[in-house]
Amino acid sequence: MAYPERFRSIKNELEWLYMELYDNRDMLASLESSMEKYASERKNDLRKLDERRIDNPKWYLDSSMVAETMYTNLFAGTFKGIADKVSYLRQLGITYLHLMPFMKTPEKDNDGGFAVSDFLSTDDKLGTVNDVENLADVLRDNGISLCMDFVMNHTSDEHEWAIKAKKGDKRAQEMYITFPDRTIPDAYEKTVPEVFPETAPGNFIYSEEMGRWVLSTFYPKQWDLNYHNPAVFNSIVSAMMFWANKGVEVFRLDAVPYIWKELGTNCRNLPNVHTIVRMIRIILETVAPATILKGEVVMAPKELAAYFGTSDKPECHILYGVSSMVNIWGALASEDIRLLKYQIEDLLTLPPHAYFVNYVRCHDDIGWGFDENKESEIGIDPLLHKIYQYQFWAGKFPGSYAKGGIYNYDEKTLDARTVGTTASLIGLESYESDEEKEKAISRFRLIYSTVFALKGLPLINSGDEIGMLNDESYMLNKEKKDDSRYLHRPFFDWDKANNINLKGTVENRLFSILKVLEGIRKGSSLFSPDAEVFTWDSHNDKVFALRRRDGEKVLLAVFNYSHETQHAHFDYFTGIFKDLLTGKEAEPGIDVELSGYDVLFLTNYCD
Ligand code: GLC
């Protein structure tokens, strides 16, 4: 189907949504003409990709897909540097590469690039727009899809709009949410929670130059965009189409729940957020069908369903599996899988088109958002549990092996979050014996196997595959020292990476664990997007289990979250099953013995 036909198929819906939200025909016409322009400028390679994707719309969920996330500068300095390292990415088996924000950003205080000064140019330390396009070409030729972090909730205060707004330009001021005095900001503060209570308290900042209060949900240099203004929406979508034509295949919608503000609400997950995401989906699907949307929705599971939309009016293709991630760490610290199991079951009740990017670590902190109702129901005190988790992962709890840190401790609520690389958290930073080292490696296998078994797409945090440890040097940097998330943003250590082929090294062992997991998934219909996924009762609160099924083929993935030997049995699993990890046989319906942190991928079917 060519563009005009695709456009006709969505025209009514797009116009209806746009007019409902903005009631502005001129701006709608201008949006439609940009769509036509970008569609006509799409290069041949990308048009071919569009056709392939139209024929295979679930391409991003294929069992061969493995994602990785990284900062360009930390991994290879520049976009060209990444292109030069493509053979390493191939060796790791990556098919989807998420680059953290790379658009133009202020020199200092830029929240790791999450403050954007120009949506159409790059941070020149990393390279040019042309370099991004070349990198996307190289990646595509190597079977890797480029994912771009698209920071859509705010700009930096050095964006052209902000600069003009400061000088008094009224139209530029309308791109933001500003007020002459504290009356309305104070009213907002009554209902809007703080994102960074310690490092950036409050939701407004005062711009001396403008003489007005500006809504700034995140850091003071990040000014929230005013999506009530259609000029904002049109500019943002045009920028997305621009990057899609440079070869970006996945847009990570940064902080998307926050984009719509309404006085008297908490300014999160409001209905118009969904109108906007739905419009973005149909616009991109029409202009650049090869692209998909990944929502960064760090919210309670009950909020998530809405971001997938309905099956006939879908919104995001995939969302971050934040609650799975939090509960994986939670289960590991408490050696109790009840909350993890409950949480995964909750996610599996979402509509069939709800798929997640599953991960253990990313560039952000781990926020201890457990399901408080469930906690109370099973007799866990939510506050004490949270305190236990952040103390444990900071190595402050007796017996803890972790070397993480604390992020945004809130004196009023005693809330805090956790930072640290995977390797430092699981005990690879300092161990006193080989036995402890082995345990740490087993923890790595346990949590990554869980991620590879869940419904959706597994994501590796760059550096995890070679056990990168925390980097404390950020404390010496004036702009970074108050943001402990930099603890887990070390420069990729290429000397360590050289060890991946050196048998027996930690790097080689971690890398190999991931390769084995990739091998198990790849080409297996048990990991196809349509395979059924359920949790399964192990009759043991320390043993988590997931069942995958495709017709007669069954896989039972079993995870011992305790450091000690455990026994489990699984009703309705009769007969002998083979473990894909070791080749050993087990009878899951009778008795399965697992040593500390053991993982089994038991199947009745072997190709
Ligand atoms: C997202 C990012 C986070 C950033 C924030 C503001 O939550 O993941 O790193 O600070 O958005 O852009």
Side-chain angles (χ1 to χ4, degrees):
M1 214 201 297
Y3 175 74
E5 213 180 320
R6 293 201 297 268
F7 179 70
R8 271 197 302 280
S9 73
I10 58 113
K11 186 174 188 299
N12 278 347
E13 188 190 348
L14 177 62
E15 296 186 349
W16 188 80
L17 291 172
Y18 197 96
M19 292 303 286
E20 181 88 349
L21 196 62
Y22 294 128
D23 194 17
N24 188 324
R25 285 222 164 266
D26 292 344
M27 291 304 281
L28 173 63
S30 140
L31 170 69
E32 290 180 351
S33 69
S34 327
M35 288 171 67
E36 205 178 329
K37 168 177 126 46
Y38 284 110
S40 70
E41 286 170 3
R42 208 149 159 81
K43 63 185 179 187
N44 262 339
D45 269 9
L46 295 176
R47 280 173 202 262
K48 282 193 199 130
L49 189 66
D50 288 340
E51 282 161 25
R52 292 208 301 278
R53 296 288 163 76
I54 290 171
D55 291 342
N56 178 21
K58 286 192 185 166
W59 60 272
Y60 54 96
L61 298 166
D62 192 90
S63 63
S64 61
M65 291 295 291
V66 181
E68 186 166 58
T69 176
M70 61 171 60
Y71 282 96
T72 303
N73 66 327
L74 298 182
F75 182 71
T78 60
F79 304 120
K80 282 191 182 136
I82 299 182
D84 290 342
K85 299 287 186 196
V86 77
S87 58
Y88 174 84
L89 299 176
R90 283 190 65 146
Q91 193 180 349
L92 181 56
I94 298 307
T95 60
Y96 164 134
L97 183 65
H98 164 211
L99 295 185
M100 299 304 297
F102 56 67
M103 291 184 275
K104 189 173 162 127
T105 188
E107 191 64 35
K108 292 183 175 159
D109 250 352
N110 58 28
D111 188 19
F114 281 98
V116 173
S117 302
D118 181 357
F119 289 103
L120 303 183
S121 64
T122 52
D123 175 352
D124 51 23
K125 289 194 288 310
L126 307 176
T128 62
V129 171
N130 228 339
D131 295 341
V132 175
E133 186 168 8
N134 290 338
L135 172 61
D137 289 345
V138 171
L139 293 175
R140 204 164 51 251
D141 288 346
N142 282 279
I144 304 173
S145 299
L146 177 62
C147 165
M148 166 185 201
D149 219 302
F150 202 93
V151 189
M152 61 184 302
N153 177 67
H154 41 261
T155 73
S156 85
D157 66 354
E158 293 179 20
H159 190 286
E160 189 194 352
W161 301 331
I163 294 171
K164 286 188 177 158
K166 287 182 210 168
K167 291 191 182 134
D169 180 326
K170 289 276 172 281
R171 280 180 70 172
Q173 286 177 2
E174 282 165 10
M175 302 303 262
Y176 301 100
I177 302 162
T178 70
F179 301 98
D181 57 42
R182 280 296 307 184
T183 320
I184 299 182
D186 284 343
Y188 267 103
E189 294 293 7
K190 289 199 179 110
T191 55
V192 185
E194 293 162 310
V195 175
F196 298 131
E198 189 194 21
T199 43
N203 285 289
F204 286 83
I205 55 112
Y206 186 68
S207 162
E208 297 279 350
E209 289 140 295
M210 207 189 330
R212 293 176 75 87
W213 290 91
V214 184
L215 205 157
S216 151
T217 306
F218 294 88
Y219 284 108
K221 266 185 166 286
Q222 292 163 315
W223 291 12
D224 286 50
L225 284 166
N226 174 18
Y227 277 86
H228 290 252
N229 178 354
V232 167
F233 178 77
N234 284 13
S235 304
I236 291 295
V237 182
S238 296
M240 286 183 172
M241 294 189 282
F242 169 87
W243 286 108
N245 278 3
K246 302 292 169 208
V248 168
E249 296 178 37
V250 185
F251 289 94
R252 174 187 181 273
L253 303 183
D254 180 56
V256 61
Y258 299 83
I259 58 176
W260 192 267
K261 314 314 191 272
E262 211 72 75
L263 190 60
T265 72
N266 65 358
C267 296
R268 274 114 167 108
N269 310 308
L270 297 181
N272 284 336
V273 169
H274 297 290
T275 309
I276 290 175
V277 178
R278 176 69 190 150
M279 286 199 287
I280 294 176
R281 166 111 183 208
I282 55 182
I283 291 169
L284 282 178
E285 237 165 32
T286 307
V287 175
T291 56
I292 61 161
L293 302 178
K294 169 172 70 166
E296 192 227 2
V297 183
V298 184
M299 294 286 154
K302 66 175 172 19
E303 307 288 356
L304 300 182
Y307 287 87
F308 288 110
T310 58
S311 58
D312 59 335
K313 293 204 181 339
E315 296 178 19
C316 292
H317 295 76
I318 36 177
L319 298 183
Y320 278 90
V322 185
S323 53
S324 312
M325 180 275 288
V326 169
N327 280 280
I328 285 173
W329 289 106
L332 190 56
S334 57
E335 305 205 349
D336 181 337
I337 59 99
R338 286 176 298 169
L339 290 173
L340 171 65
K341 179 167 183 280
Y342 172 79
Q343 200 63 82
I344 304 282
E345 277 163 8
D346 210 21
L347 295 178
L348 290 173
T349 61
L350 292 174
H353 67 286
Y355 292 97
F356 290 94
V357 180
N358 299 306
Y359 65 109
V360 289
R361 288 299 290 115
C362 68
H363 69 292
D364 274 332
D365 49 290
I366 307 171
W368 300 109
F370 295 107
D371 187 306
E372 300 199 354
N373 291 333
K374 187 68 188 174
E375 289 183 305
S376 307
E377 191 188 311
I378 58 181
I380 296 174
D381 180 297
L383 183 60
L384 290 180
H385 183 205
K386 192 179 280 187
I387 295 172
Y388 167 69
Q389 290 291 343
Y390 64 72
Q391 301 274 28
F392 181 91
W393 292 111
K396 295 197 170 137
F397 205 86
S400 165
Y401 43 79
K403 291 275 178 253
I406 285 181
Y407 177 66
N408 266 280
Y409 174 70
D410 185 339
E411 273 179 359
K412 288 175 274 172
T413 60
L414 299 184
D415 186 42
R417 313 177 209 167
T418 292
V419 289
T421 66
T422 301
S424 291
L425 292 175
I426 59 174
L428 276 172
E429 188 167 315
S430 64
Y431 44 82
E432 272 159 18
S433 63
D434 273 355
E435 196 193 336
E436 283 182 24
K437 178 171 106 182
E438 288 309 312
K439 278 195 189 148
I441 294 175
S442 309
R443 288 181 200 112
F444 182 89
R445 186 185 322 102
L446 176 76
I447 57 180
Y448 262 106
S449 306
T450 310
V451 155
F452 272 67
L454 292 173
K455 180 183 171 189
L457 163 70
L459 170 89
I460 299 167
N461 191 37
S462 172
D464 277 11
E465 74 274 21
I466 54 165
M468 289 290 304
L469 301 175
N470 288 342
D471 176 2
E472 293 189 347
S473 64
Y474 78 96
M475 292 182 195
L476 305 171
N477 181 317
K478 220 168 61 253
E479 282 98 44
K480 295 183 176 163
K481 70 176 186 2
D482 292 327
D483 189 341
S484 57
R485 291 177 301 176
Y486 286 101
L487 181 66
H488 52 245
R489 297 174 185 171
F491 278 98
F492 192 83
D493 184 338
W494 286 98
D495 288 334
K496 257 168 104 60
N498 284 336
N499 288 343
I500 56 175
N501 297 319
L502 208 63
K503 258 204 151 357
T505 56
V506 170
E507 295 79 9
N508 168 263
R509 301 213 18 222
L510 302 183
F511 200 91
S512 308
I513 288 170
L514 296 172
K515 293 303 294 176
V516 168
L517 293 170
E518 287 168 12
I520 288 177
R521 285 178 64 97
K522 197 171 177 175
S524 165
S525 63
L526 286 163
F527 289 92
S528 77
D530 300 322
E532 290 172 4
V533 188
F534 296 100
T535 61
W536 209 260
D537 191 2
S538 68
H539 298 281
N540 182 332
D541 286 344
K542 295 177 186 300
V543 179
F544 176 59
L546 274 176
R547 185 191 75 157
R548 284 183 160 264
R549 198 180 77 171
D550 170 51
E552 293 294 298
K553 293 190 208 170
V554 174
L555 175 91
L556 183 68
V558 187
F559 310 90
N560 178 7
Y561 270 78
S562 129
H563 70 288
E564 289 173 331
T565 300
Q566 297 293 324
H567 289 262
H569 77 262
F570 303 88
D571 299 334
Y572 310 113
F573 276 85
T574 47
I576 307 230
F577 282 59
K578 195 172 143 193
D579 177 21
L580 291 172
L581 291 164
T582 58
K584 283 195 203 134
E585 292 183 339
E587 280 188 78
I590 306 218
D591 176 63
V592 179
E593 186 181 280
L594 298 115
S595 48
Y597 301 129
D598 208 1
V599 179
L600 304 172
F601 274 58
L602 299 175
T603 186
N604 64 350
Y605 182 91
C606 295
D607 295 296

